[in-house]
Amino acid sequence: MILRQFLHTDPTAASYLLGCVGKGAGVVVDPLFPIEPYLHAASASATPIRLVIDTHLHADHRSAGRALAEAAGAEYAIHESAEVGYACRRLVDGERLELGNVVLEVLHTPGHTPEHLCLTVTDRTRADEPWSVLGGHTLMVGDVGRTELATDAARGARDLFTSLVRLKALPDHIEVLPGALAGSVCGRGLSGKPVSTIGFERRHNPAFRIEDAERFVAFMLENIPPAPEGAAELRAWNAGFTA
């Protein structure tokens, strides 16, 4: 298995190349422009990009997902609930994406946005159970995703609470690979550390620790930061509705 984490500063975000070297099957998750670093990394590791996935329609930057998929001759994919103006692969909850010995399982985790998904990652050369989870902007290190960029804040918080219950069901040892870090506008108390575990976040992440739905909603509605500049326009562009 190969896993490469790309850390970005403008905007602050994380994206990933992972897959099976032996079978020559790679996937990129949440890519940003420019696309050349992903293409170079895939070539250097002999892991051709077969699939590009966005965990959601981003509101803080233009996704490079479709452009990278076209350049790599790969499929572009997003959750089936995303309202988009282009043809793409529509992922469904519970779907298993097999990339040689690496298996990704799709978890629909609405809340940050209605179409958000997370991905558990299994390396069958090590075990037949997940090793890590790509948390996107649902579960990050030190915080969870804000809930008002694509829907009503309270409704989004209720959806997010339910999504986090699913992630809390994962074993403590599962690695959390976040889609954003400290400095991102998509969370309020994010750490600059680019990896954690379900167990550590369960104990020390203020939002992830909350077990009561009403307390969680109230917590998420406190001190909502300003929206990213042009958030609605960026979501519309990423959905293919503006040029």
Side-chain angles (χ1 to χ4, degrees):
M1 175 182 177
I2 180 177
L3 191 153
R4 298 285 184 269
Q5 186 181 54
F6 298 80
L7 301 179
H8 311 278
T9 58
D10 186 20
T12 303
S15 52
Y16 299 86
L17 165 68
L18 64 155
C20 178
V21 177
K23 302 296 183 180
V27 58
V28 175
V29 179
D30 285 338
L32 279 69
F33 288 104
I35 64 174
E36 285 75 19
Y38 307 104
L39 296 170
H40 292 161
S43 176
S45 61
T47 312
I49 300 168
R50 305 299 187 198
L51 184 63
V52 180
I53 300 172
D54 269 323
T55 56
H56 62 293
L57 296 171
H58 299 274
D60 62 336
H61 66 272
R62 290 191 173 195
S63 165
R66 287 178 289 153
L68 177 59
E70 182 177 2
E75 286 187 287
Y76 173 74
I78 197 165
H79 188 260
E80 63 173 349
S81 64
E83 297 182 8
V84 297
Y86 44 76
C88 64
R89 181 169 175 175
R90 315 287 286 192
L91 301 176
V92 300
D93 186 62
E95 183 173 356
R96 289 168 60 86
L97 308 173
E98 303 214 4
L99 301 158
N101 288 314
V102 175
V103 181
L104 310 182
E105 182 172 345
V106 177
L107 303 178
H108 184 211
T109 52
H112 177 61
T113 67
E115 73 285 345
H116 197 289
L117 62 84
C118 295
L119 297 159
T120 62
V121 182
T122 297
D123 176 5
R124 290 188 295 205
T125 67
R126 301 292 311 279
D128 291 324
E129 61 186 49
W131 190 354
S132 55
V133 61
L134 295 167
H137 292 180
T138 289
L139 176 60
M140 297 168 284
V141 182
D143 201 3
V144 298
R146 59 193 295 173
T147 63
E148 87 298 342
L149 293 179
T151 187
D152 173 76
R155 177 182 176 183
R158 293 185 187 281
D159 288 343
L160 183 59
F161 180 81
T162 301
S163 295
L164 294 175
V165 168
R166 295 189 72 185
L167 296 181
K168 288 177 184 179
L170 295 173
D172 279 353
H173 67 268
I174 298 293
E175 293 178 325
V176 175
L177 303 174
L181 310 165
S184 169
V185 297
C186 293
R188 298 174 296 181
L190 295 171
S191 171
K193 190 171 185 291
V195 64
S196 185
T197 64
I198 290 290
F200 196 89
E201 296 308 301
R202 194 194 310 278
R203 294 177 61 186
H204 300 293
N205 183 320
F208 198 51
R209 288 175 58 184
I210 298 174
E211 298 292 342
D212 179 77
E214 295 306 318
R215 282 186 54 223
F216 179 81
V217 172
F219 179 84
M220 294 304 297
L221 296 183
E222 294 175 358
N223 304 317
I224 296 175
E229 184 177 353
E233 291 79 8
L234 286 166
R235 271 186 61 86
W237 189 90
N238 288 326
F241 294 133
T242 61

PDB file of all heavy atoms in Angstrom, residues 123-158:
ATOM      1  N   ASP A 123      -5.941  -2.145   4.113  1.00  0.00           N
ATOM      2  CA  ASP A 123      -4.824  -2.718   3.361  1.00  0.00           C
ATOM      3  C   ASP A 123      -4.826  -4.217   3.629  1.00  0.00           C
ATOM      4  O   ASP A 123      -4.428  -4.672   4.704  1.00  0.00           O
ATOM      5  CB  ASP A 123      -3.505  -2.085   3.819  1.00  0.00           C
ATOM      6  CG  ASP A 123      -2.294  -2.701   3.139  1.00  0.00           C
ATOM      7  OD1 ASP A 123      -2.469  -3.556   2.243  1.00  0.00           O
ATOM      8  OD2 ASP A 123      -1.161  -2.335   3.510  1.00  0.00           O
ATOM      9  N   ARG A 124      -5.294  -4.989   2.651  1.00  0.00           N
ATOM     10  CA  ARG A 124      -5.470  -6.418   2.879  1.00  0.00           C
ATOM     11  C   ARG A 124      -4.159  -7.181   2.991  1.00  0.00           C
ATOM     12  O   ARG A 124      -4.166  -8.351   3.395  1.00  0.00           O
ATOM     13  CB  ARG A 124      -6.353  -7.006   1.773  1.00  0.00           C
ATOM     14  CG  ARG A 124      -7.795  -6.544   1.888  1.00  0.00           C
ATOM     15  CD  ARG A 124      -8.721  -7.254   0.922  1.00  0.00           C
ATOM     16  NE  ARG A 124      -8.421  -6.944  -0.476  1.00  0.00           N
ATOM     17  CZ  ARG A 124      -9.307  -7.013  -1.472  1.00  0.00           C
ATOM     18  NH1 ARG A 124     -10.553  -7.395  -1.217  1.00  0.00           N
ATOM     19  NH2 ARG A 124      -8.970  -6.725  -2.704  1.00  0.00           N
ATOM     20  N   THR A 125      -3.024  -6.545   2.676  1.00  0.00           N
ATOM     21  CA  THR A 125      -1.747  -7.192   2.936  1.00  0.00           C
ATOM     22  C   THR A 125      -1.405  -7.166   4.419  1.00  0.00           C
ATOM     23  O   THR A 125      -0.538  -7.918   4.868  1.00  0.00           O
ATOM     24  CB  THR A 125      -0.602  -6.521   2.148  1.00  0.00           C
ATOM     25  OG1 THR A 125      -0.398  -5.187   2.644  1.00  0.00           O
ATOM     26  CG2 THR A 125      -0.909  -6.482   0.664  1.00  0.00           C
ATOM     27  N   ARG A 126      -2.096  -6.306   5.177  1.00  0.00           N
ATOM     28  CA  ARG A 126      -1.876  -6.207   6.630  1.00  0.00           C
ATOM     29  C   ARG A 126      -2.996  -6.842   7.421  1.00  0.00           C
ATOM     30  O   ARG A 126      -2.759  -7.507   8.424  1.00  0.00           O
ATOM     31  CB  ARG A 126      -1.748  -4.731   7.049  1.00  0.00           C
ATOM     32  CG  ARG A 126      -0.625  -3.941   6.397  1.00  0.00           C
ATOM     33  CD  ARG A 126       0.751  -4.407   6.823  1.00  0.00           C
ATOM     34  NE  ARG A 126       0.915  -4.556   8.263  1.00  0.00           N
ATOM     35  CZ  ARG A 126       1.174  -3.527   9.099  1.00  0.00           C
ATOM     36  NH1 ARG A 126       1.275  -2.292   8.623  1.00  0.00           N
ATOM     37  NH2 ARG A 126       1.335  -3.754  10.383  1.00  0.00           N
ATOM     38  N   ALA A 127      -4.249  -6.593   6.998  1.00  0.00           N
ATOM     39  CA  ALA A 127      -5.397  -7.102   7.746  1.00  0.00           C
ATOM     40  C   ALA A 127      -6.642  -6.944   6.893  1.00  0.00           C
ATOM     41  O   ALA A 127      -6.650  -6.219   5.896  1.00  0.00           O
ATOM     42  CB  ALA A 127      -5.562  -6.338   9.063  1.00  0.00           C
ATOM     43  N   ASP A 128      -7.705  -7.632   7.306  1.00  0.00           N
ATOM     44  CA  ASP A 128      -8.981  -7.529   6.610  1.00  0.00           C
ATOM     45  C   ASP A 128      -9.923  -6.556   7.311  1.00  0.00           C
ATOM     46  O   ASP A 128     -11.146  -6.649   7.152  1.00  0.00           O
ATOM     47  CB  ASP A 128      -9.643  -8.905   6.509  1.00  0.00           C
ATOM     48  CG  ASP A 128      -8.892  -9.825   5.558  1.00  0.00           C
ATOM     49  OD1 ASP A 128      -8.376  -9.317   4.545  1.00  0.00           O
ATOM     50  OD2 ASP A 128      -8.818 -11.040   5.840  1.00  0.00           O
ATOM     51  N   GLU A 129      -9.373  -5.643   8.065  1.00  0.00           N
ATOM     52  CA  GLU A 129     -10.163  -4.626   8.757  1.00  0.00           C
ATOM     53  C   GLU A 129      -9.552  -3.260   8.480  1.00  0.00           C
ATOM     54  O   GLU A 129      -8.371  -3.166   8.109  1.00  0.00           O
ATOM     55  CB  GLU A 129     -10.184  -4.902  10.263  1.00  0.00           C
ATOM     56  CG  GLU A 129      -8.810  -4.865  10.887  1.00  0.00           C
ATOM     57  CD  GLU A 129      -8.822  -5.289  12.342  1.00  0.00           C
ATOM     58  OE1 GLU A 129      -9.407  -6.342  12.648  1.00  0.00           O
ATOM     59  OE2 GLU A 129      -8.235  -4.565  13.172  1.00  0.00           O
ATOM     60  N   PRO A 130     -10.329  -2.193   8.630  1.00  0.00           N
ATOM     61  CA  PRO A 130      -9.799  -0.854   8.310  1.00  0.00           C
ATOM     62  C   PRO A 130      -8.598  -0.481   9.173  1.00  0.00           C
ATOM     63  O   PRO A 130      -8.507  -0.848  10.352  1.00  0.00           O
ATOM     64  CB  PRO A 130     -10.990   0.067   8.586  1.00  0.00           C
ATOM     65  CG  PRO A 130     -12.189  -0.801   8.458  1.00  0.00           C
ATOM     66  CD  PRO A 130     -11.757  -2.150   8.970  1.00  0.00           C
ATOM     67  N   TRP A 131      -7.717   0.275   8.559  1.00  0.00           N
ATOM     68  CA  TRP A 131      -6.515   0.777   9.207  1.00  0.00           C
ATOM     69  C   TRP A 131      -6.689   2.261   9.532  1.00  0.00           C
ATOM     70  O   TRP A 131      -6.186   2.754  10.537  1.00  0.00           O
ATOM     71  CB  TRP A 131      -5.333   0.564   8.267  1.00  0.00           C
ATOM     72  CG  TRP A 131      -3.972   0.803   8.824  1.00  0.00           C
ATOM     73  CD1 TRP A 131      -3.633   1.304  10.052  1.00  0.00           C
ATOM     74  CD2 TRP A 131      -2.745   0.523   8.149  1.00  0.00           C
ATOM     75  NE1 TRP A 131      -2.267   1.366  10.183  1.00  0.00           N
ATOM     76  CE2 TRP A 131      -1.695   0.891   9.027  1.00  0.00           C
ATOM     77  CE3 TRP A 131      -2.425   0.008   6.889  1.00  0.00           C
ATOM     78  CZ2 TRP A 131      -0.343   0.754   8.676  1.00  0.00           C
ATOM     79  CZ3 TRP A 131      -1.092  -0.130   6.552  1.00  0.00           C
ATOM     80  CH2 TRP A 131      -0.057   0.241   7.434  1.00  0.00           C
ATOM     81  N   SER A 132      -7.401   2.986   8.657  1.00  0.00           N
ATOM     82  CA  SER A 132      -7.542   4.425   8.823  1.00  0.00           C
ATOM     83  C   SER A 132      -8.852   4.878   8.202  1.00  0.00           C
ATOM     84  O   SER A 132      -9.539   4.107   7.529  1.00  0.00           O
ATOM     85  CB  SER A 132      -6.362   5.157   8.175  1.00  0.00           C
ATOM     86  OG  SER A 132      -6.223   4.789   6.811  1.00  0.00           O
ATOM     87  N   VAL A 133      -9.186   6.133   8.459  1.00  0.00           N
ATOM     88  CA  VAL A 133     -10.372   6.738   7.866  1.00  0.00           C
ATOM     89  C   VAL A 133     -10.004   8.124   7.362  1.00  0.00           C
ATOM     90  O   VAL A 133      -9.351   8.902   8.064  1.00  0.00           O
ATOM     91  CB  VAL A 133     -11.556   6.800   8.863  1.00  0.00           C
ATOM     92  CG1 VAL A 133     -11.222   7.633  10.100  1.00  0.00           C
ATOM     93  CG2 VAL A 133     -12.813   7.330   8.188  1.00  0.00           C
ATOM     94  N   LEU A 134     -10.375   8.390   6.121  1.00  0.00           N
ATOM     95  CA  LEU A 134     -10.238   9.727   5.557  1.00  0.00           C
ATOM     96  C   LEU A 134     -11.455  10.520   6.009  1.00  0.00           C
ATOM     97  O   LEU A 134     -12.569  10.287   5.540  1.00  0.00           O
ATOM     98  CB  LEU A 134     -10.142   9.653   4.034  1.00  0.00           C
ATOM     99  CG  LEU A 134      -8.889   8.936   3.496  1.00  0.00           C
ATOM    100  CD1 LEU A 134      -9.051   8.643   2.013  1.00  0.00           C
ATOM    101  CD2 LEU A 134      -7.644   9.765   3.732  1.00  0.00           C
ATOM    102  N   GLY A 135     -11.235  11.454   6.924  1.00  0.00           N
ATOM    103  CA  GLY A 135     -12.345  12.151   7.569  1.00  0.00           C
ATOM    104  C   GLY A 135     -12.850  13.368   6.845  1.00  0.00           C
ATOM    105  O   GLY A 135     -13.871  13.941   7.257  1.00  0.00           O
ATOM    106  N   GLY A 136     -12.157  13.780   5.767  1.00  0.00           N
ATOM    107  CA  GLY A 136     -12.603  14.970   5.041  1.00  0.00           C
ATOM    108  C   GLY A 136     -12.762  16.143   5.987  1.00  0.00           C
ATOM    109  O   GLY A 136     -11.888  16.440   6.811  1.00  0.00           O
ATOM    110  N   HIS A 137     -13.910  16.819   5.871  1.00  0.00           N
ATOM    111  CA  HIS A 137     -14.215  17.931   6.775  1.00  0.00           C
ATOM    112  C   HIS A 137     -15.325  17.547   7.749  1.00  0.00           C
ATOM    113  O   HIS A 137     -15.994  18.419   8.303  1.00  0.00           O
ATOM    114  CB  HIS A 137     -14.607  19.169   5.973  1.00  0.00           C
ATOM    115  CG  HIS A 137     -13.481  19.745   5.185  1.00  0.00           C
ATOM    116  ND1 HIS A 137     -13.608  20.869   4.397  1.00  0.00           N
ATOM    117  CD2 HIS A 137     -12.187  19.353   5.046  1.00  0.00           C
ATOM    118  CE1 HIS A 137     -12.455  21.143   3.810  1.00  0.00           C
ATOM    119  NE2 HIS A 137     -11.581  20.226   4.193  1.00  0.00           N
ATOM    120  N   THR A 138     -15.513  16.236   7.944  1.00  0.00           N
ATOM    121  CA  THR A 138     -16.450  15.764   8.963  1.00  0.00           C
ATOM    122  C   THR A 138     -15.737  15.620  10.294  1.00  0.00           C
ATOM    123  O   THR A 138     -16.078  16.277  11.271  1.00  0.00           O
ATOM    124  CB  THR A 138     -17.079  14.432   8.541  1.00  0.00           C
ATOM    125  OG1 THR A 138     -17.978  14.671   7.453  1.00  0.00           O
ATOM    126  CG2 THR A 138     -17.880  13.801   9.680  1.00  0.00           C
ATOM    127  N   LEU A 139     -14.705  14.773  10.349  1.00  0.00           N
ATOM    128  CA  LEU A 139     -13.898  14.601  11.553  1.00  0.00           C
ATOM    129  C   LEU A 139     -12.464  14.956  11.223  1.00  0.00           C
ATOM    130  O   LEU A 139     -11.848  14.357  10.340  1.00  0.00           O
ATOM    131  CB  LEU A 139     -13.981  13.162  12.067  1.00  0.00           C
ATOM    132  CG  LEU A 139     -13.099  12.839  13.279  1.00  0.00           C
ATOM    133  CD1 LEU A 139     -13.470  13.713  14.478  1.00  0.00           C
ATOM    134  CD2 LEU A 139     -13.198  11.368  13.636  1.00  0.00           C
ATOM    135  N   MET A 140     -11.951  15.941  11.969  1.00  0.00           N
ATOM    136  CA  MET A 140     -10.578  16.386  11.785  1.00  0.00           C
ATOM    137  C   MET A 140      -9.848  16.274  13.118  1.00  0.00           C
ATOM    138  O   MET A 140     -10.386  15.737  14.082  1.00  0.00           O
ATOM    139  CB  MET A 140     -10.579  17.807  11.221  1.00  0.00           C
ATOM    140  CG  MET A 140     -11.240  17.876   9.839  1.00  0.00           C
ATOM    141  SD  MET A 140     -11.595  19.555   9.252  1.00  0.00           S
ATOM    142  CE  MET A 140     -13.043  19.972  10.251  1.00  0.00           C
ATOM    143  N   VAL A 141      -8.631  16.759  13.179  1.00  0.00           N
ATOM    144  CA  VAL A 141      -7.848  16.663  14.407  1.00  0.00           C
ATOM    145  C   VAL A 141      -8.184  17.868  15.280  1.00  0.00           C
ATOM    146  O   VAL A 141      -7.866  19.002  14.937  1.00  0.00           O
ATOM    147  CB  VAL A 141      -6.340  16.597  14.114  1.00  0.00           C
ATOM    148  CG1 VAL A 141      -5.554  16.438  15.410  1.00  0.00           C
ATOM    149  CG2 VAL A 141      -6.031  15.447  13.159  1.00  0.00           C
ATOM    150  N   GLY A 142      -8.886  17.624  16.379  1.00  0.00           N
ATOM    151  CA  GLY A 142      -9.233  18.684  17.310  1.00  0.00           C
ATOM    152  C   GLY A 142     -10.597  19.291  17.118  1.00  0.00           C
ATOM    153  O   GLY A 142     -11.051  20.075  17.955  1.00  0.00           O
ATOM    154  N   ASP A 143     -11.289  18.974  16.034  1.00  0.00           N
ATOM    155  CA  ASP A 143     -12.584  19.603  15.778  1.00  0.00           C
ATOM    156  C   ASP A 143     -13.353  18.792  14.746  1.00  0.00           C
ATOM    157  O   ASP A 143     -12.843  17.815  14.185  1.00  0.00           O
ATOM    158  CB  ASP A 143     -12.386  21.040  15.270  1.00  0.00           C
ATOM    159  CG  ASP A 143     -13.609  21.931  15.458  1.00  0.00           C
ATOM    160  OD1 ASP A 143     -14.608  21.459  16.043  1.00  0.00           O
ATOM    161  OD2 ASP A 143     -13.575  23.085  15.017  1.00  0.00           O
ATOM    162  N   VAL A 144     -14.574  19.232  14.492  1.00  0.00           N
ATOM    163  CA  VAL A 144     -15.406  18.681  13.423  1.00  0.00           C
ATOM    164  C   VAL A 144     -15.781  19.834  12.495  1.00  0.00           C
ATOM    165  O   VAL A 144     -15.542  21.001  12.794  1.00  0.00           O
ATOM    166  CB  VAL A 144     -16.662  17.992  13.990  1.00  0.00           C
ATOM    167  CG1 VAL A 144     -16.262  16.824  14.881  1.00  0.00           C
ATOM    168  CG2 VAL A 144     -17.532  18.972  14.768  1.00  0.00           C
ATOM    169  N   GLY A 145     -16.385  19.517  11.360  1.00  0.00           N
ATOM    170  CA  GLY A 145     -16.666  20.533  10.355  1.00  0.00           C
ATOM    171  C   GLY A 145     -17.827  21.450  10.728  1.00  0.00           C
ATOM    172  O   GLY A 145     -18.814  21.010  11.312  1.00  0.00           O
ATOM    173  N   ARG A 146     -17.713  22.712  10.373  1.00  0.00           N
ATOM    174  CA  ARG A 146     -18.814  23.656  10.553  1.00  0.00           C
ATOM    175  C   ARG A 146     -20.003  23.209   9.708  1.00  0.00           C
ATOM    176  O   ARG A 146     -19.833  22.468   8.734  1.00  0.00           O
ATOM    177  CB  ARG A 146     -18.366  25.067  10.178  1.00  0.00           C
ATOM    178  CG  ARG A 146     -17.890  25.189   8.751  1.00  0.00           C
ATOM    179  CD  ARG A 146     -17.155  26.490   8.488  1.00  0.00           C
ATOM    180  NE  ARG A 146     -18.023  27.651   8.630  1.00  0.00           N
ATOM    181  CZ  ARG A 146     -17.577  28.910   8.577  1.00  0.00           C
ATOM    182  NH1 ARG A 146     -16.275  29.143   8.386  1.00  0.00           N
ATOM    183  NH2 ARG A 146     -18.394  29.923   8.713  1.00  0.00           N
ATOM    184  N   THR A 147     -21.194  23.682  10.031  1.00  0.00           N
ATOM    185  CA  THR A 147     -22.390  23.063   9.443  1.00  0.00           C
ATOM    186  C   THR A 147     -23.306  24.009   8.697  1.00  0.00           C
ATOM    187  O   THR A 147     -24.396  23.591   8.290  1.00  0.00           O
ATOM    188  CB  THR A 147     -23.213  22.362  10.544  1.00  0.00           C
ATOM    189  OG1 THR A 147     -23.663  23.337  11.497  1.00  0.00           O
ATOM    190  CG2 THR A 147     -22.389  21.302  11.251  1.00  0.00           C
ATOM    191  N   GLU A 148     -22.896  25.252   8.455  1.00  0.00           N
ATOM    192  CA  GLU A 148     -23.830  26.211   7.860  1.00  0.00           C
ATOM    193  C   GLU A 148     -23.451  26.659   6.453  1.00  0.00           C
ATOM    194  O   GLU A 148     -24.104  27.529   5.886  1.00  0.00           O
ATOM    195  CB  GLU A 148     -23.966  27.435   8.785  1.00  0.00           C
ATOM    196  CG  GLU A 148     -22.947  28.541   8.598  1.00  0.00           C
ATOM    197  CD  GLU A 148     -21.502  28.161   8.852  1.00  0.00           C
ATOM    198  OE1 GLU A 148     -21.233  27.136   9.509  1.00  0.00           O
ATOM    199  OE2 GLU A 148     -20.622  28.893   8.371  1.00  0.00           O
ATOM    200  N   LEU A 149     -22.440  26.054   5.842  1.00  0.00           N
ATOM    201  CA  LEU A 149     -21.989  26.526   4.535  1.00  0.00           C
ATOM    202  C   LEU A 149     -22.882  26.055   3.394  1.00  0.00           C
ATOM    203  O   LEU A 149     -22.864  26.640   2.311  1.00  0.00           O
ATOM    204  CB  LEU A 149     -20.550  26.067   4.280  1.00  0.00           C
ATOM    205  CG  LEU A 149     -19.490  26.694   5.189  1.00  0.00           C
ATOM    206  CD1 LEU A 149     -18.120  26.144   4.861  1.00  0.00           C
ATOM    207  CD2 LEU A 149     -19.498  28.224   5.057  1.00  0.00           C
ATOM    208  N   ALA A 150     -23.661  24.993   3.617  1.00  0.00           N
ATOM    209  CA  ALA A 150     -24.487  24.467   2.531  1.00  0.00           C
ATOM    210  C   ALA A 150     -25.930  24.237   2.938  1.00  0.00           C
ATOM    211  O   ALA A 150     -26.743  23.831   2.117  1.00  0.00           O
ATOM    212  CB  ALA A 150     -23.894  23.167   1.999  1.00  0.00           C
ATOM    213  N   THR A 151     -26.242  24.493   4.207  1.00  0.00           N
ATOM    214  CA  THR A 151     -27.597  24.258   4.695  1.00  0.00           C
ATOM    215  C   THR A 151     -27.790  25.075   5.962  1.00  0.00           C
ATOM    216  O   THR A 151     -26.888  25.800   6.395  1.00  0.00           O
ATOM    217  CB  THR A 151     -27.823  22.749   4.962  1.00  0.00           C
ATOM    218  OG1 THR A 151     -29.197  22.523   5.270  1.00  0.00           O
ATOM    219  CG2 THR A 151     -26.973  22.265   6.114  1.00  0.00           C
ATOM    220  N   ASP A 152     -28.966  24.986   6.580  1.00  0.00           N
ATOM    221  CA  ASP A 152     -29.207  25.626   7.865  1.00  0.00           C
ATOM    222  C   ASP A 152     -28.256  25.047   8.912  1.00  0.00           C
ATOM    223  O   ASP A 152     -28.047  23.830   8.978  1.00  0.00           O
ATOM    224  CB  ASP A 152     -30.662  25.391   8.279  1.00  0.00           C
ATOM    225  CG  ASP A 152     -30.958  25.869   9.678  1.00  0.00           C
ATOM    226  OD1 ASP A 152     -31.089  27.089   9.870  1.00  0.00           O
ATOM    227  OD2 ASP A 152     -31.047  25.013  10.583  1.00  0.00           O
ATOM    228  N   ALA A 153     -27.677  25.912   9.750  1.00  0.00           N
ATOM    229  CA  ALA A 153     -26.645  25.475  10.691  1.00  0.00           C
ATOM    230  C   ALA A 153     -27.152  24.424  11.660  1.00  0.00           C
ATOM    231  O   ALA A 153     -26.452  23.438  11.951  1.00  0.00           O
ATOM    232  CB  ALA A 153     -26.096  26.683  11.453  1.00  0.00           C
ATOM    233  N   ALA A 154     -28.367  24.596  12.196  1.00  0.00           N
ATOM    234  CA  ALA A 154     -28.900  23.633  13.162  1.00  0.00           C
ATOM    235  C   ALA A 154     -29.208  22.301  12.494  1.00  0.00           C
ATOM    236  O   ALA A 154     -28.905  21.233  13.046  1.00  0.00           O
ATOM    237  CB  ALA A 154     -30.151  24.198  13.829  1.00  0.00           C
ATOM    238  N   ARG A 155     -29.807  22.354  11.310  1.00  0.00           N
ATOM    239  CA  ARG A 155     -30.090  21.108  10.602  1.00  0.00           C
ATOM    240  C   ARG A 155     -28.788  20.379  10.275  1.00  0.00           C
ATOM    241  O   ARG A 155     -28.683  19.157  10.436  1.00  0.00           O
ATOM    242  CB  ARG A 155     -30.863  21.400   9.319  1.00  0.00           C
ATOM    243  CG  ARG A 155     -31.133  20.168   8.467  1.00  0.00           C
ATOM    244  CD  ARG A 155     -31.857  20.513   7.187  1.00  0.00           C
ATOM    245  NE  ARG A 155     -32.029  19.349   6.344  1.00  0.00           N
ATOM    246  CZ  ARG A 155     -32.588  19.377   5.138  1.00  0.00           C
ATOM    247  NH1 ARG A 155     -33.053  20.510   4.645  1.00  0.00           N
ATOM    248  NH2 ARG A 155     -32.690  18.268   4.430  1.00  0.00           N
ATOM    249  N   GLY A 156     -27.793  21.135   9.809  1.00  0.00           N
ATOM    250  CA  GLY A 156     -26.506  20.527   9.518  1.00  0.00           C
ATOM    251  C   GLY A 156     -25.876  19.900  10.745  1.00  0.00           C
ATOM    252  O   GLY A 156     -25.274  18.831  10.676  1.00  0.00           O
ATOM    253  N   ALA A 157     -26.019  20.576  11.904  1.00  0.00           N
ATOM    254  CA  ALA A 157     -25.442  20.044  13.146  1.00  0.00           C
ATOM    255  C   ALA A 157     -26.118  18.742  13.548  1.00  0.00           C
ATOM    256  O   ALA A 157     -25.459  17.814  14.028  1.00  0.00           O
ATOM    257  CB  ALA A 157     -25.566  21.082  14.249  1.00  0.00           C
ATOM    258  N   ARG A 158     -27.438  18.655  13.362  1.00  0.00           N
ATOM    259  CA  ARG A 158     -28.141  17.413  13.700  1.00  0.00           C
ATOM    260  C   ARG A 158     -27.678  16.276  12.786  1.00  0.00           C
ATOM    261  O   ARG A 158     -27.471  15.144  13.234  1.00  0.00           O
ATOM    262  CB  ARG A 158     -29.648  17.615  13.606  1.00  0.00           C
ATOM    263  CG  ARG A 158     -30.180  18.563  14.654  1.00  0.00           C
ATOM    264  CD  ARG A 158     -31.696  18.662  14.646  1.00  0.00           C
ATOM    265  NE  ARG A 158     -32.117  19.705  15.561  1.00  0.00           N
ATOM    266  CZ  ARG A 158     -32.190  19.582  16.883  1.00  0.00           C
ATOM    267  NH1 ARG A 158     -31.864  18.413  17.431  1.00  0.00           N
ATOM    268  NH2 ARG A 158     -32.571  20.576  17.649  1.00  0.00           N
TER     269      ARG A 158
END
